[in-house]
Amino acid sequence: MTKRERFEKFLANEPVDRVPVAFFHHFTTEQEWLTGLKDEAAFEKNIEGHRTARAKFDPDVIKIMNDTLMIMPVDTSFVKTPADLRKIQPPMPGSAFFEKSKELTKRVVAIYEGSDAPIYITAFSPCIILRNSISGMDIGTEVAHSKLYSFLEEDPDSVMAALDIIADSVNALNKMLLTECGAEAVYLSVNIQAHYVPDEFYAKYIAPSDKKVLAAANELSRFNMLHICGYHGKSNNLELFKDYDVPVFNWAVHAEGVGLAEGKKLFGGKPVCGGFAQAETIYTGTREEITAEVCKYLDEAGQVGVMLGADCTVPTDIDDERLEWVRQAAIQYAATPRVKL
């Protein structure tokens, strides 16, 4: 099968010649994240990292890593009360952020010319964007989110209004990148990692903006993916996301303690992606250990509607040859007769 044919079969929960493999990593340091509007060197490094990586591992699934433009900038410096959130003005078409995002996406798509692999853009939920704007990139601790939590307790309607405003901007950005830049689908990162608000708050006040973004994305593409981010082992409540209307689910198998087979049931039998821990065997294991882990995951979940990947981005300095080891192990697994006991 070609990469496209294999992915189409995966998406349709149909048998494949071997499971597709989808690992992603950043191309810049954390200090360079979000600096693309002011640091041209970091912006170029972000783009060129894709070229270097492709030379070593031509991926089954392409995800444009927008490290230096990763989270949409929203000015909340004037926000003193929850009601002030209603006045935020996220970037919109024609802004420097939109134009720079368009440049990055088009240039990375050109790097993958000749590949028939599906191309994802990376997007973040309105809540992650709002949290970053008021608390910075420390997105995994209760302290970082205490301000958002207090705003929700005091005036949830104003927080919801702000999330809705941001959702409109995210939708406009996604539409531009998918209709003008050659990308094909949205990889949407959401989370309630570290449980920064109570579950009932997330379901009532935050989830609607996630779903608004997904609804708009689903009008543009039929293979969007939900990434329930468990970055560096931070857990989520997967139950909060099981009714999200999205074709493919990815979550932190190891952080959540929910394997691929169990997760596939939780998410209504839809295709799933994952398996490997973020920085364990895939990063430090021998080829034999990686092969054994591939067999373990596929023994558990089967090869239909399953794509091998990781809990989140693998380390930036990973040897991309390791990703080829996973692919070769998947090929070997598919070619080896399995005996059911």
Side-chain angles (χ1 to χ4, degrees):
M1 292 180 180
T2 66
K3 293 174 183 176
R4 179 73 52 164
E5 290 169 341
R6 185 177 301 112
F7 186 84
E8 291 281 359
K9 294 290 187 181
F10 155 74
L11 197 66
N13 267 323
E14 295 178 357
V16 291
D17 58 342
R18 54 93 176 167
V19 298
V21 172
F23 290 94
F24 314 114
H25 61 76
H26 295 287
F27 296 109
T28 62
T29 66
E30 290 191 20
Q31 292 71 34
E32 292 169 316
W33 292 356
L34 317 186
T35 63
L37 292 180
K38 58 183 179 182
D39 187 340
E40 194 64 25
F43 179 78
E44 291 296 326
K45 178 181 176 183
N46 183 175
I47 293 172
E48 289 304 312
H50 295 80
R51 192 185 312 278
T52 303
R54 186 187 180 187
K56 201 159 191 180
F57 177 72
D58 196 25
D60 293 341
V61 173
I62 297 162
K63 184 162 84 75
I64 297 172
M65 301 300 295
N66 56 347
D67 301 359
T68 55
L69 300 171
M70 186 161 49
I71 299 180
M72 180 181 291
V74 178
D75 180 18
T76 57
S77 61
F78 64 92
V79 174
K80 307 301 180 187
T81 69
D84 292 337
L85 290 171
R86 296 175 179 270
K87 304 171 188 174
I88 61 171
Q89 297 181 337
M92 291 299 285
S95 66
F97 180 78
F98 270 61
E99 291 304 304
K100 206 68 173 172
S101 296
K102 180 188 293 187
E103 178 188 349
L104 185 150
T105 303
K106 283 186 172 182
R107 289 176 62 187
V108 172
V109 167
I111 288 171
Y112 290 99
E113 184 178 3
S115 173
D116 71 335
I119 305 175
Y120 283 87
I121 58 167
T122 306
F124 287 84
S125 71
C127 184
I128 291 177
I129 293 169
L130 182 61
R131 284 159 45 201
N132 179 68
S133 72
I134 63 178
S135 304
M137 280 297 289
D138 185 13
I139 60 173
T141 66
E142 184 178 348
V143 172
H145 302 307
S146 59
K147 193 169 186 179
L148 176 61
Y149 187 8
S150 66
F151 282 171
L152 276 168
E153 287 186 302
E154 183 180 345
D155 185 357
D157 288 342
S158 288
V159 176
M160 287 188 74
L163 293 174
D164 195 62
I165 292 169
I166 295 172
D168 287 338
S169 184
V170 172
N171 288 343
L173 180 64
N174 291 345
K175 183 177 181 179
M176 179 187 74
L177 299 182
L178 265 60
T179 61
E180 300 180 28
C181 302
E184 299 175 83
V186 175
Y187 176 97
L188 180 66
S189 179
V190 300
N191 67 55
I192 184 175
Q193 62 189 20
H195 306 282
Y196 55 88
V197 297
D199 289 352
E200 59 270 23
F201 275 51
Y202 195 98
K204 185 173 182 178
Y205 303 124
I206 296 173
S209 59
D210 291 345
K211 293 176 180 179
K212 180 176 181 176
V213 171
L214 283 174
N218 286 339
E219 292 182 359
L220 297 168
S221 175
R222 58 187 177 82
F223 53 91
N224 301 304
M225 188 185 309
L226 189 72
H227 169 59
I228 306 168
C229 184
Y231 190 64
H232 287 325
K234 298 179 178 70
S235 64
N236 296 272
N237 179 359
L238 299 182
E239 291 284 339
L240 291 169
F241 305 100
K242 67 181 183 180
D243 68 338
Y244 278 33
D245 182 13
V246 64
V248 182
F249 286 87
N250 166 247
W251 68 95
V253 163
H254 294 263
E256 313 299 351
V258 177
L260 291 174
E262 183 182 353
K264 196 165 175 39
K265 291 179 182 177
L266 176 68
F267 295 121
K270 289 186 175 180
V272 297
C273 174
F276 282 84
Q278 192 174 354
E280 295 180 13
T281 306
I282 189 64
Y283 187 48
T284 61
T286 64
R287 183 165 186 171
E288 292 72 22
E289 288 170 335
I290 287 175
T291 297
E293 203 150 316
V294 167
C295 294
K296 172 187 171 183
Y297 297 138
L298 297 182
D299 280 347
E300 171 207 347
Q303 301 180 83
V304 174
V306 171
M307 182 160 63
L308 289 174
D311 284 359
C312 194
T313 48
V314 294
T316 303
D317 64 349
I318 194 170
D319 183 345
D320 287 288
E321 184 179 5
R322 291 176 163 274
L323 311 184
E324 183 61 33
W325 292 353
V326 176
R327 181 156 59 193
Q328 291 303 316
I331 293 170
Q332 177 184 335
Y333 185 94
T336 303
R338 321 309 298 183
V339 177
K340 292 187 177 181
L341 301 177

